[in-house]
């Protein structure tokens, strides 16, 4: 079985929309595109390179596919793990509107998205990586198909925009397996799927109730 890994750039308040530029995704009147750029440094770049180097196939939503396809096919692949991976690995694209894909190695998922992704995940192989694609990620989280989250958390709050976790996400715990920070204050956190949500009680009011 493959490991389905989601990598997201996110703010402290969970916004994942348009981290890379002002025109990346302005849907909903979003005005803060490019919020990650001031925090991007060599440490973050090296971590992203390492993550991309471990991919076998990509899984992308339509919006992220179109953003990537507009730039990365022209990028030189020599000494660039991100460009090399994106231009040489298979890219599975989930879309209700696209009928053809021009980028070499890109394939449209057929039929029900959840069932198609489940079939890809059940195959033998390495990492099936999702980057960006917030709408698709919401679907995958609701279907409980995400094995690992790699979150790049920037020290900024926006108060609006598409968020990583929305209504319908399955309640579950996640286990932190790696964490570090960059000189600009970005947190790099890797989580593996845990188990069911467990609850408890804490505070003096509960202690009194138990002792009484």
């Amino acid at each position: 079985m493959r490991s389905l890994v989601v990598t997201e750039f996110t703010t402290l308040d969970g916004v994942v929309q348009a981290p890379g530029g002002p025109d990346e995704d302005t849907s909903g009147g979003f005005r803060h595109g490019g919020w990650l750029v001031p925090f991007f440094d060599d440490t973050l770049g090296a971590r992203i390179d390492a993550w991309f180097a471990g991919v076998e196939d990509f899984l992308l939503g339509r919006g992220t596919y179109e953003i990537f396809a507009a730039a990365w096919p022209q990028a030189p692949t020599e000494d660039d793990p991100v460009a090399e991976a994106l231009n040489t690995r298979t890219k599975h694209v989930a879309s209700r509107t696209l009928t053809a894909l021009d980028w070499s190695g890109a394939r449209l998922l057929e039929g029900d998205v959840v069932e198609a992704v489940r079939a890809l995940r059940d195959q033998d192989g390495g990492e099936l990586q999702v980057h960006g694609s917030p709408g698709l990620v919401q679907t995958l989280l609701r279907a409980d198909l995400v094995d690992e989250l790699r979150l790049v958390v920037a020290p900024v709050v926006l108060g609006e925009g598409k968020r990583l976790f929305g209504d319908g996400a399955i309640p579950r715990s996640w286990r932190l397996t790696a964490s570090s920070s960059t000189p600009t204050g970005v947190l790099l956190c890797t989580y593996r799927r845990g188990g069911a949500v467990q609850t408890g009680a804490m505070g003096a009011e509960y202690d009194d109730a138990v002792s009484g």
Side-chain angles (χ1 to χ4, degrees):
M1 178 179 287
R2 302 199 211 191
S3 183
L4 197 157
V5 179
V6 169
T7 299
E8 289 288 351
F9 301 137
T10 177
T11 66
L12 290 176
D13 56 337
V15 175
V16 296
Q17 186 170 352
D23 300 321
E24 191 173 82
D25 180 2
T26 59
S27 61
F30 190 67
R31 300 166 295 131
H32 306 292
W35 49 264
L36 180 67
V37 177
F39 304 101
F40 204 98
D41 62 6
D42 290 343
T43 301
L44 177 54
R47 173 51 56 193
I48 292 172
D49 285 350
W51 284 339
F52 269 85
V55 68
E56 180 170 345
D57 285 354
F58 292 101
L59 175 61
L60 303 173
R62 178 194 57 79
T64 296
Y65 167 78
E66 290 181 333
I67 291 169
F68 283 4
W72 287 106
Q74 292 78 41
T77 59
E78 186 176 355
D79 299 323
D80 187 337
V82 175
E84 192 276 335
L86 286 171
N87 285 306
T88 60
R89 307 294 198 276
T90 299
K91 296 160 285 288
H92 303 277
V93 181
S95 173
R96 298 187 183 92
T97 57
L98 296 177
T99 58
L101 304 175
D102 296 330
W103 195 358
S104 176
R107 302 174 181 174
L108 279 170
L109 291 178
E110 297 182 356
D112 180 77
V113 169
V114 169
E115 293 306 315
V117 172
R118 185 173 284 118
L120 287 174
R121 183 170 170 264
D122 287 344
Q123 295 174 3
D124 292 332
E127 290 182 358
L128 180 61
Q129 291 188 4
V130 185
H131 294 267
S133 311
L136 174 61
V137 170
Q138 293 281 327
T139 299
L140 299 176
L141 289 168
R142 284 194 295 269
D144 200 23
L145 290 174
V146 178
D147 298 298
E148 182 169 298
L149 291 169
R150 294 171 179 165
L151 303 184
V152 177
V153 186
V156 62
V157 172
L158 299 180
E160 63 178 2
K162 299 174 182 176
R163 284 175 164 79
L164 173 58
F165 293 101
D167 294 340
I170 291 179
R172 69 156 49 255
S173 64
W174 293 85
R175 179 169 52 89
L176 182 68
T177 59
S179 63
S180 61
S181 61
T182 73
T184 62
V186 172
L187 299 179
L188 307 171
C189 302
T190 300
Y191 297 90
R192 295 288 297 181
R193 60 164 56 233
V197 174
Q198 299 182 10
T199 62
M202 59 187 296
E205 63 273 27
Y206 295 106
D207 294 340
D208 291 342
V210 171
S211 62

